């Protein structure tokens, strides 16, 4: 029997940050891991519904560095959320070592490649660690081919005003075919900003249509809301505008096709698959 991927008992407004932070402090990792194990969570953050066959096998890719408390909140929130949607999924935390500025796009590419070495997935959801969906009815199912899904476009810090259509940051979903077609993210954006704008241009260049769930269902506007966990802003990339201007010239040779990193380990922890990678900014990859 196939899973329905619909939520009968949904939670709205569960993203009360004070409540989540308090619960995260009260429940230690062993207690939470034990609770998730009884719900069917396997090592590596791998989950499959036991009483139905999921139509979607999803890899959640989360770029990460020095956000320990955010990660704790994220895992305690997202595992039950995804399970209530009856999804088959794996959470991959892709961590960058210290040294070079943070490179979100490259970490997404690394997560994509390492995930495919461990199994087959229908789609990938690229997800920042500081964003939490507010409503269980926000679907984390796979998008259709040629229709990548823009997900985090209504966020509390912007008073839930919808971001511009070209905004493809925060949370986005791609089929394997589409992400391979666009050559993934650029590897050149060190520091904060514009790797998602570059991604949007890649999508349009390959005649893919970015969709929002509200395109077909305007009434879902209150369902696809996100809450952002407070955090210190990363240092901006001073060359991001210059890089963005030249996106078309490096489309083929910048991305999955030239991805280079040192894999330090891939470890199956009780709550997620941990990919630790060393990536260094060099004259060839700097802005």
């Amino acid at each position: 029997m196939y899973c329905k991927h619909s939520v009968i008992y949904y939670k709205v407004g569960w993203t009360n940050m004070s409540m989540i932070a308090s619960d995260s402090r009260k429940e230690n990792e062993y207690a939470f891991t034990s609770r998730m194990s009884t719900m069917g969570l396997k090592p590596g953050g791998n989950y499959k519904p036991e009483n139905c066959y999921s139509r979607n096998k999803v890899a959640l890719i989360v770029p990460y560095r020095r956000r320990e408390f955010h990660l704790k909140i994220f895992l305690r929130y997202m595992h039950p959320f995804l399970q209530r949607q009856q999804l088959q999924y794996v959470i991959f935390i892709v961590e960058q070592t210290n040294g070079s500025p943070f490179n979100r796009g490259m970490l997404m590419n690394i997560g994509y490649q390492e995930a495919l070495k461990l199994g087959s997935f229908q789609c990938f959801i690229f997800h920042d660690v500081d964003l939490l969906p507010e409503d269980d009815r926000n679907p984390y199912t796979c998008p259709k081919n040629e229709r990548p899904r823009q997900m985090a476009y209504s966020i509390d810090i912007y008073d839930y005003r919808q971001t511009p259509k070209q905004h493809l940051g925060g949370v986005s979903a791609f089929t394997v075919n589409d992400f391979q077609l666009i050559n993934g993210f650029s590897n050149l954006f060190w520091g904060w900003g514009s790797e998602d704008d570059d991604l949007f241009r890649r999508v349009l260049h390959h005649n893919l249509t970015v969709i929002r769930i509200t395109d077909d269902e305007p009434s879902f506007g209150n369902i696809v809301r996100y809450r952002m966990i407070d955090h210190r802003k990363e240092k901006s990339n001073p060359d991001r505008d210059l890089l963005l201007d030249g996106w078309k010239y490096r489309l083929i040779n910048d991305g999955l096709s030239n991805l280079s990193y040192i894999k330090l380990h891939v470890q199956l922890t009780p709550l997620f698959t941990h990919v630790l990678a060393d990536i260094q900014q060099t004259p060839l990859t700097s802005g």
Side-chain angles (χ1 to χ4, degrees):
M1 180 180 66
Y2 284 101
C3 301
K4 294 182 179 179
H5 299 307
S6 60
V7 180
I8 300 175
Y9 301 105
Y10 58 89
K11 294 180 179 289
V12 180
W14 190 36
T15 45
N16 181 294
M17 287 302 144
S18 297
M19 183 186 301
I20 295 173
S22 177
D23 290 346
S24 297
R25 290 187 178 97
K26 290 176 183 176
E27 185 178 34
N28 62 41
E29 185 172 340
Y30 176 78
F32 179 72
T33 300
S34 299
R35 180 159 61 88
M36 285 295 97
S37 179
T38 63
M39 299 298 292
L41 188 67
K42 306 300 182 185
N46 191 331
Y47 178 80
K48 180 169 66 173
E50 295 181 353
N51 57 356
C52 59
Y53 180 77
S54 178
R55 293 184 174 89
N56 297 265
K57 188 175 181 182
V58 182
L60 217 71
I61 307 297
V62 183
Y64 173 80
R65 185 167 70 175
R66 297 194 300 267
R67 295 276 191 91
E68 185 176 356
F69 190 57
H70 288 176
L71 180 59
K72 188 176 182 180
I73 292 174
F74 181 86
L75 294 169
R76 280 158 174 72
Y77 188 88
M78 290 305 297
H79 276 302
F81 173 89
L82 295 168
Q83 291 168 19
R84 288 192 294 270
Q85 292 196 14
Q86 296 183 309
L87 297 170
Q88 182 176 357
Y89 70 88
V90 181
I91 293 181
F92 292 86
I93 304 299
V94 189
E95 182 175 3
Q96 177 182 337
T97 56
N98 295 328
S100 295
F102 192 67
N103 191 321
R104 178 178 179 269
M106 188 181 289
L107 292 178
M108 297 295 199
N109 288 341
I110 292 170
Y112 172 83
Q113 284 202 351
E114 292 300 325
L116 289 179
K117 293 176 184 177
L118 296 178
S120 61
F121 296 91
Q122 291 168 286
C123 69
F124 284 74
I125 295 180
F126 300 97
H127 208 300
D128 286 350
V129 74
D130 55 13
L131 284 172
L132 302 177
E134 291 190 0
D135 195 306
D136 283 353
R137 293 169 295 178
N138 184 351
Y140 272 58
T141 51
C142 291
K144 296 178 181 178
N145 274 319
E146 301 181 359
R147 292 171 65 84
R149 186 190 304 137
Q150 185 184 56
M151 299 173 69
Y153 56 88
S154 180
I155 307 173
D156 65 322
I157 62 169
Y158 305 122
D159 295 324
Y160 300 109
R161 293 189 299 270
Q162 292 192 8
T163 58
K165 278 284 188 178
Q166 64 268 27
H167 175 261
L168 201 52
V171 186
S172 56
F174 285 81
T175 63
V176 174
N177 289 342
D178 287 349
F179 196 68
Q180 198 70 41
L181 176 67
I182 67 171
N183 198 21
F185 282 83
S186 168
N187 297 316
L188 295 182
F189 288 86
W190 300 88
W192 180 86
S194 295
E195 79 288 333
D196 50 343
D197 299 315
D198 183 277
L199 184 72
F200 184 79
R201 285 162 171 76
R202 291 170 181 242
V203 166
L204 294 189
H205 179 79
H206 287 91
N207 296 315
L208 305 181
T209 301
V210 176
I211 65 161
R212 294 174 169 181
I213 190 173
T214 48
D215 291 343
D216 297 325
E217 296 288 347
S219 61
F220 280 20
N222 290 334
I223 291 175
V224 291
R225 292 181 168 187
Y226 283 79
R227 186 67 57 89
M228 180 174 285
I229 308 173
D230 290 339
H231 64 280
R232 179 177 58 84
K233 189 174 180 179
E234 296 284 343
K235 185 178 179 181
S236 297
N237 179 349
D239 301 316
R240 63 186 186 276
D241 292 336
L242 181 63
L243 284 168
L244 196 57
D245 286 342
W247 69 272
K248 189 177 291 187
Y249 301 104
R250 50 183 172 72
L251 182 64
I252 298 176
N253 298 316
D254 172 27
L256 296 173
S257 60
N258 74 331
L259 183 60
S260 177
Y261 60 98
I262 298 174
K263 179 172 63 178
L264 300 179
H265 76 228
V266 175
Q267 181 181 359
L268 304 185
T269 77
L271 299 177
F272 57 89
T273 298
H274 184 213
V275 179
L276 180 63
D278 180 50
I279 56 175
Q280 296 299 324
Q281 186 175 12
T282 68
L284 291 177
T285 58
S286 67

